[in-house]
Amino acid sequence: MRSELRVLFGRPRTWAMLLALAAIPILIAVAVRLSSEPPGPGEGPPFLDRVTQNGLFVGMTALVVSIPLFLPLTVGVVAGDTIAGEASLGTLRYLLVAPAGRVRLLVVKYVAAAVFCLAATLTVVVVGALVGLALFGAGPATLLSGDTVGVGESAVRALLVAVYVTVSLLGLSAVGLFVSTLTEVPVGAMAATVVLSVVAQVLGQLDQLAWLHPWLFSRHWLGFADLLRQPVSWDSFGDNALLQAGYVAVFGALAYGRFVTKDVLS
Amino acid sequence: MTGGSSPAEPAIRTRGLTKRFGQQAAVDGIDLSVPSGAVFGFLGPNGSGKTTTIRVLLGLAAATSGETSVLGQPMPRALADVLPRVGALVEGPAFYPFLSGTANLQRLDAADRRASPASRHQRVAAALERVGLGHAATKRVRAYSLGMKQRLGIAGALLSPRDLLVLDEPTNGLDPQGTREVRELVRSLAADGATVFVSSHLLAEVEQMCTHVGVMSAGRLVAQGTLDELRGGGEAHVRVRTPDVGTARSALAGLGLVLVQATGAAPSDRAADDAGEGSRDGVVEAVLDGAAPPPERIVEALVAAGTRVRGFAVERATLEDRFMALTGEGFDVVG
Ligand SMILES: Nc1ncnc2c1ncn2[C@@H]1O[C@H](COP(=O)(O)OP(=O)(O)OP(=O)(O)O)[C@@H](O)[C@H]1O
Ligand SMILES: [Mg+2]
C-alpha cells in the first residue's frame, strides 16, 4: 500500500494535476480581489458572494466550480490508469508474479485512487482557504441558514465539505477501476471514465429521465449545501454515502469478476 | 533454499498443456518435464509459443486445457505458495520509468507480501550489486539503456532466494560482458540448487549453459531431453579434407560409410589434382553411424588407398543443426 502511494505520488503527472487543481481557487480569489465591486448575492458560482466576508469560502467556491469537470477529470485519469496503466507498462505481470495477489492488487489500487480523491479535494479546499485568508482575511461567516459562525467552526465546515466531495467521487473511482480492467490502453480507460462522468451529469439534467436520476452517481455531487446549515443536516451526506457505496459494491464486484480471470498478456 | 519438492520430482511438469487464442493454438498439447536442478534451455523460433507457455506456467494466463505443476504443486491452484519461490523475467523487463532502479525494485519487493520490509533495503542493494547496477541505482529507469533495463529485470528476479528461475530471453540486449555474467549467474544459481528455465534464441549460449533442452515449433514441443541426448539425436560425421576426392570417396565407401557430399575438385579436375601439392582441396563427408569403424581405422584406410589427407575431423551435429532439422529452415513465422 505504501509502495502504491509512493508510485502514485512519485509521479510527475499526479503533481501536475494537483497543481492544476490548486490553480482554480487561486484564480478565483485573485479575480474577485481585482474586480472593483464585490460580487452581489446570487451572482456567479454559489458562495462567491461570501468570499469577501471569509476567505475560507474561496475553497468552497472553487470546489463547486471543479465538481462538474476538473475533479472528475483528474479522478478519471487516476482511476482509469489503475490496472490499464500497469498493463501498458508491463509492470502488471511482474506485480502478479511477485506475487501481489490479484484481489490484493485491486483493493490496493482502489484505496490509492480514493486517497487521491481526498488529496484532490483537500488541495482545492486548503489552497482556497489559504489564498482566501491571505487576500480577504477571516471574518465571521454567514451560513446558508443565516446563522453566523466563527473562524474555527467554518474551518471545520470546510473540511466536512471536502470529505463530502471525496465520498462523492468514490463511485466514479470504482467505475474507473472497472473500466481499467477491461483494457490495456490507459488513455482509453481514462477517457471512458471521464466521459461517463459527463454523461451522468447530462442525464441528470434531462427531466424526461427523472426515473433514472436517483441512480446516477453524480446525483448528489453538488448537494453539500446541507453541511453549511445550522444545525448540520446530514441527510444528503447519508444519501450520497449510500449511493456511492452501492456503486463501489457493484463496480468493485464487476472489476473483481473481470480481473481475477483475466489473462495478462501485456 | 527452502526445498519442498523431492529431488526426483520435476520442477516443472505439464501434461497436454494447451493455450488457444481464438482459433489458433499458441501452445498445443505440450508435455514438458523440467528436472529439478536442471538448467533447461527452452528453444524455438519466433512465435512458437515459448512466452505463452511461460505465462501459463506463472499463472498470468489460464490454460485452455491440460495440467501443470510447478515445484511439485498444482497450478494455478497453489499460485500464492509457489510464486514467492519463483523468480521470473517474462518477455523483457518492465518498469516505472519515472522511478529509480532502487525504487522500482523496492516496489516489486513490497508486492510480495512474504518479503520482510525490514530487510528490503538490503535485498534490493544486493540484487543491484549482483547484476552490476550498483552505480546506476539512483538513476531513473527512463535514463537506462536497453541492457541496463535487462539487468534490472534480472535483479528483480533475484530479489529473494528462489528455487526456480524462469528467464525469457535473459541476454537480450546485453553486451558481451553482460551475456557472460548472465551465464555465470545461471551457473551459480544452478550450483546453489535452483532450477533454471531459460528461453533463448542464442543456441551457442544455450549449448554453453544448459544441461537440458526443449524445442518448440509452432506450438508443439518437438523434442526435449538432456543436451547430449538432443545433439546425439543427430548423427556424427567424418569430414576429410584432401585433394584426392575420388580416392577418398571410394575408400570411405569401401568401409561401408554413407557419403554425404563432395565439394571442391570435380572429376574433370582430376588431372590437375594429380599434378601435385598446390592443387585445390576438396571436402568429403560421410555419416559415422554406430556400425562404422573407429576414426583411426578410417584414417589408416584412407592413407592406405593413397589419399593425401590434409584434414580429418569427426563432428557431432551441433545444436543448431538439430534445431534446424526439428523446426525447419524456413524463415517465415508460423502463425
Ligand atoms: N495476446 C495474444 N493474442 C493472440 N495471439 C497471441 C497473443 N500472444 C501471442 N499470440 C500468438 O501466440 C503464438 C506464440 O506467441 P509467443 O509470444 O508465445 O511466441 P514466442 O515463442 O515467445 O516468440 P518469440 O521468440 O518471438 O518471443 C504466436 O503465434 C502469437 O501470434
Ligand atoms: Mg517470446
Side-chain angles (χ1 to χ4, degrees):
Chain A
M1 185 69 235
R2 196 137 34 99
S3 123
E4 180 60 38
L5 291 179
R6 238 177 90 177
V7 169
L8 181 58
F9 289 99
R11 201 168 183 160
R13 188 181 72 196
T14 307
W15 290 106
M17 292 195 301
L18 291 180
L19 269 180
L21 285 174
I24 295 169
I26 295 176
L27 277 177
I28 291 175
V30 171
V32 171
R33 179 79 213 193
L34 293 184
S35 71
S36 44
E37 289 169 42
E43 270 180 40
F47 311 120
L48 193 60
D49 51 334
R50 285 158 216 268
V51 161
T52 45
Q53 287 174 28
N54 185 330
L56 284 176
F57 272 100
V58 172
M60 227 75 80
T61 312
L63 263 190
V64 173
V65 171
S66 331
I67 281 175
L69 186 60
F70 297 118
L71 280 173
L73 194 67
T74 55
V75 169
V77 167
V78 171
D81 195 46
T82 45
I83 301 295
E86 299 277 358
S88 83
L89 279 178
T91 42
L92 182 56
R93 59 176 185 267
Y94 287 106
L95 289 177
L96 292 181
V97 166
R102 296 196 180 205
V103 179
R104 178 164 161 253
L105 185 64
L106 215 49
V107 170
V108 164
K109 282 285 179 188
Y110 183 72
V111 172
V115 169
F116 177 82
C117 292
L118 183 64
T121 42
L122 278 182
T123 301
V124 176
V125 170
V126 171
V127 170
L130 293 179
V131 176
L133 291 178
L135 293 186
F136 306 107
T142 316
L143 292 179
L144 298 181
S145 54
D147 303 80
T148 305
V149 294
V151 178
E153 174 71 17
S154 47
V156 171
R157 296 297 175 100
L159 287 181
L160 263 184
V161 169
V163 171
Y164 181 97
V165 175
T166 305
V167 171
S168 291
L169 294 169
L170 293 182
L172 179 63
S173 303
V175 172
L177 182 73
F178 170 60
V179 174
S180 194
T181 61
L182 299 178
T183 171
E184 284 158 17
V185 187
V187 180
M190 295 174 194
T193 310
V194 175
V195 166
L196 280 175
S197 81
V198 173
V199 167
Q201 293 179 78
V202 170
L203 294 182
Q205 304 281 318
L206 298 177
D207 293 336
Q208 291 80 358
L209 295 174
W211 54 270
L212 186 66
H213 291 175
W215 304 103
L216 293 173
F217 56 79
S218 56
R219 162 96 171 153
H220 301 289
W221 274 10
L222 290 168
F224 58 77
D226 283 354
L227 296 175
L228 300 176
R229 293 182 207 285
Q230 190 76 296
V232 173
S233 156
W234 292 99
D235 288 354
S236 54
F237 193 100
D239 290 349
N240 184 34
L242 197 65
L243 178 68
Q244 300 299 334
Y247 266 92
V248 173
V250 171
F251 283 90
L254 286 174
Y256 168 85
R258 165 73 184 153
F259 190 54
V260 290
T261 55
K262 183 184 179 176
D263 279 354
V264 175
L265 298 171
S266 58
Chain B
M1 302 269 143
T2 43
S5 53
S6 66
E9 190 149 29
I12 299 174
R13 167 181 219 111
T14 70
R15 245 185 262 258
L17 182 68
T18 300
K19 176 69 188 176
R20 290 184 176 282
F21 293 113
Q23 276 302 300
Q24 187 204 358
V27 176
D28 195 359
I30 68 173
D31 300 313
L32 203 58
S33 175
V34 179
S36 191
V39 178
F40 190 98
F42 195 43
L43 310 178
N46 292 135
S48 57
K50 303 182 297 293
T51 303
T52 306
T53 305
I54 289 175
R55 283 182 195 282
V56 173
L57 290 177
L58 297 175
L60 289 172
T64 309
S65 64
E67 285 166 33
T68 307
S69 77
V70 175
L71 296 173
Q73 308 214 51
M75 295 289 265
R77 213 166 342 125
L79 215 56
D81 292 325
V82 171
L83 286 184
R85 296 164 57 196
V86 179
L89 189 66
V90 187
E91 191 141 82
F95 296 102
Y96 307 93
F98 48 90
L99 294 182
S100 70
T102 308
N104 266 293
L105 289 193
Q106 279 172 346
R107 171 162 172 81
L108 210 53
D109 195 67
D112 178 4
R113 209 184 330 195
R114 301 188 193 188
S116 134
S119 50
R120 177 158 304 145
H121 199 76
Q122 237 173 307
R123 272 198 303 279
V124 168
L128 285 168
E129 212 50 60
R130 195 153 184 190
V131 298
L133 280 180
H135 292 295
T138 54
K139 219 175 176 176
R140 282 180 193 224
V141 170
R142 193 192 306 283
Y144 275 25
S145 72
L146 175 66
M148 286 162 81
K149 284 185 200 147
Q150 190 75 18
R151 285 167 186 246
L152 191 60
I154 296 172
L158 297 177
L159 274 172
S160 313
R162 313 284 195 186
D163 294 329
L164 171 64
L165 281 135
V166 177
L167 304 173
D168 196 2
E169 300 182 32
T171 53
N172 191 15
L174 290 185
D175 53 23
Q177 286 86 344
T179 312
R180 186 185 206 144
E181 271 159 39
V182 166
R183 214 156 54 215
E184 290 304 317
L185 199 68
V186 167
R187 285 208 189 101
S188 75
L189 290 166
D192 288 348
T195 309
V196 185
F197 184 82
V198 48
S199 95
S200 180
H201 299 294
L202 303 175
L203 299 169
E205 215 32 54
V206 168
E207 235 170 342
Q208 284 183 61
M209 67 184 179
C210 294
T211 57
H212 292 68
V213 177
V215 180
M216 293 286 289
S217 177
R220 295 180 174 278
L221 186 66
V222 289
Q224 77 176 326
T226 64
L227 187 60
D228 287 336
E229 275 167 13
L230 211 85
R231 277 189 301 206
E235 58 241 322
H237 286 199
V238 284
R239 211 180 241 281
V240 182
R241 198 161 63 80
T242 173
D244 311 316
V245 173
T247 33
R249 287 173 72 88
S250 45
L252 290 175
L255 288 169
L257 299 183
V258 180
L259 296 167
V260 181
Q261 61 176 71
T263 51
S268 59
D269 295 334
R270 183 94 34 88
D273 279 346
D274 294 336
E277 290 286 299
S279 57
R280 280 200 306 158
D281 288 350
V283 173
V284 181
E285 206 173 326
V287 177
L288 196 63
D289 54 20
E296 59 272 20
R297 281 276 308 116
I298 300 175
V299 183
E300 248 179 71
L302 283 166
V303 173
T307 316
R308 288 167 289 170
V309 178
R310 289 182 178 161
F312 181 87
V314 179
E315 287 176 350
R316 282 215 158 279
T318 61
L319 191 56
E320 183 169 329
D321 296 334
R322 279 297 284 155
F323 182 81
M324 291 303 175
L326 286 165
T327 60
E329 299 265 358
F331 176 67
D332 285 343
V333 169
V334 182

